[in-house]
Each structure stands twice: as C-alpha cells, then as structure tokens.
Amino acid sequence: MKKQHIIFTDLDGTLLDHHSYSFAPVVSILDKLQQEGIPVIPNTSKTFAELVEIRGALKLTTPFIVENGAAIYIPTHFFPQQPIGTIEKSGYWLKEFSPRVEHWVGVLDTLQAAFSEEFEHFSRMSVKRISEVTGLSEHDAELAATREYGEPVNWLGDQASKTLFIHALEEAGATPLQGGRFLHVSGYSDKGQALTWLLNEYQKQHPDKQCDSIALGDGQNDVAMLEVASLAIRILSPTTPPPELKRTNKVITSHNFGPTGWAECIEAILFKQ
Ligand SMILES: [Mg+2]
C-alpha cells in the first residue's frame, strides 16, 4: 500500500524563526512537499485570524489546528466527504474540541463580583489597552484578541486571591493555564488530540493509502503532539531546551534552530536518497 506522510508543525520557533518570524529557510522545501503531495498542517497556539494571514504568506492550502488543539479548520472539499462531527463555517469544515470563548466569558462574568477590580480580560478590554499590556502593535493586538476558544486574563490582584480565582475557574470546568503574561482560561485541549483526530480522518478518507504522521515542535506545548506522532522531530530553540519526551524511539532533534532545523530534518528524512 502507498505510504502517505502527513506533517504536523508548530509555527513559532519551529516553522517560523523565534526572533524574526522569518520562514525563508523553508520556502523551497515547502514547494517540494507540495509537489510531492505531502500536506503540511500548522498546529499552533495562534488563532484562526492569525492563521489566515500566515498560511497565505506560506502558500498553504491545507487544514490547520488553532489555539493549542482547540479546533481544526479543514477547507471544505479538502476531503471527498465532510468529516463526521464537523460543522460548516465560512468555507471550512470546523471540528471543535473545546467550548467557545463566549462560554468562558460568561464564567468570568459570574466571578466579577467576588473578584472585583482584580482582573481584566481581552473581551472586555479595548484594542488600545491590549496593545499597551502586550506590547503588540494595534493590528497584531486586534488579531490576538480574536481568540475563539480561550480568554486571556490579566491578573491585577495578589497571589492569594489568584489561587482562589483559579480554583473557582476549575470548579466551573475550565483548565486555566498560566502563560508568560496572561492566565489563559479555556477548556481542556492539546495538540496531540487534534493530530490524532485529523490523522484518523485522513486515513478514513484515503483507505487506499497508509497514512502516518511526522510532528515538529520546539516547546513544552508541543509535547502531546510529539508523543503521539509516528515520528517526532524536536526543533532546537535558541532560548529553551528541547521539550522532554517520554518516548525514546523515532525521536530526532535538529542540529539547527527553528526553520533551518525544520528544513534540515525534513530534507534528510523525506528527500535524502
Ligand atoms: Mg513553538
């Protein structure tokens, strides 16, 4: 049976340079993959709005996974059949793994009285305020504010009160995650669960091929996808050690950072004769 490789890749620090966001080192290999019919699926913490811009620049027409596995966007007619469990939305078949952000905003509203003046969150902040707090340009702040599945909270109170706040969120069914700057309030999802679902769908839709997954990532939030992929590629980061994995077989670590390491590994695995 013919083998079909499917590449799942993190963006920041993996396909895109950690500092400059450049993807120049992968341009020619992405072309080559497209000619060979090997799909490259972004699997990222970024939002749908951010992805629409980036995949345009990368010339990708494949499905993509947003907000750390919260949802998969599949261009309609990408597969012969609409996958079971998806809804149609603005030109995509959408598979959701987590309640939408409106649900979490509702939960935060119920906590306003108990924690008044102690937090602010994106849906209730102006673009100008988000830009102030994040240091992003107003354009990028606007894109970052379009999260569909998670709500970033800027905690303004003390640590003891924050612990109570987190507990209240967990009681309400959230899985709050502390990022560098914000407490992200969302349901449980991860990049591995989304990879597995999409790989199964590929296999179902292409029974004549044997599908396998190659995952590439540089960070802690890539561990779940690196653990479940047929082949795990850890991309070296200039700022953090490679993500630690439980698995030891079929794990490769790049010699170069970011997109240069990406091109190095994919070239060696798929195109080296
Ligand atoms: Mg990364």
Side-chain angles (χ1 to χ4, degrees), residues 10-16 18 43-45 191 216-222 237:
D10 172 50
L11 293 179
D12 292 355
T14 299
L15 193 67
L16 309 176
H18 177 82
N43 194 351
T44 174
S45 60
K191 290 182 174 189
L216 302 99
D218 74 318
Q220 214 43 47
N221 66 343
D222 298 312
S237 158

Side-chain angles (χ1 to χ4, degrees), residues 119-122 125 129-136 141 144-145 147 150-156 162 165-166 169 175-185:
F119 69 94
E120 57 183 354
H121 59 100
F122 272 28
M125 287 158 77
R129 174 67 184 151
I130 294 171
S131 148
E132 255 168 44
V133 175
T134 56
L136 294 171
R147 303 197 81 79
E151 179 70 349
V153 169
N154 188 24
W155 184 254
L156 306 166
K162 187 178 180 182
F165 180 72
I166 289 173
L169 287 168
T175 304
L177 267 187
Q178 182 61 54
R181 203 183 306 254
F182 299 105
L183 181 69
H184 289 273
V185 179

Side-chain angles (χ1 to χ4, degrees), residues 126-234:
S126 66
V127 169
K128 189 159 176 292
R129 174 67 184 151
I130 294 171
S131 148
E132 255 168 44
V133 175
T134 56
L136 294 171
S137 71
E138 290 204 9
H139 171 75
D140 289 348
E142 206 164 353
L143 287 186
T146 58
R147 303 197 81 79
E148 296 178 286
Y149 300 96
E151 179 70 349
V153 169
N154 188 24
W155 184 254
L156 306 166
D158 62 23
Q159 192 54 46
S161 190
K162 187 178 180 182
T163 306
L164 295 174
F165 180 72
I166 289 173
H167 185 69
L169 287 168
E170 286 168 347
E171 291 282 289
T175 304
L177 267 187
Q178 182 61 54
R181 203 183 306 254
F182 299 105
L183 181 69
H184 289 273
V185 179
S186 65
Y188 180 79
S189 61
D190 70 50
K191 290 182 174 189
Q193 169 182 278
L195 179 154
T196 301
W197 187 92
L198 190 53
L199 182 70
N200 283 339
E201 195 58 41
Y202 260 99
Q203 190 61 76
K204 257 195 263 173
Q205 303 256 1
H206 301 286
D208 53 322
K209 293 178 181 162
Q210 190 199 341
C211 298
D212 73 12
S213 56
I214 299 173
L216 302 99
D218 74 318
Q220 214 43 47
N221 66 343
D222 298 312
V223 166
M225 110 171 135
L226 291 169
E227 291 287 3
V228 299
S230 318
L231 174 66
I233 303 179
R234 303 190 303 173

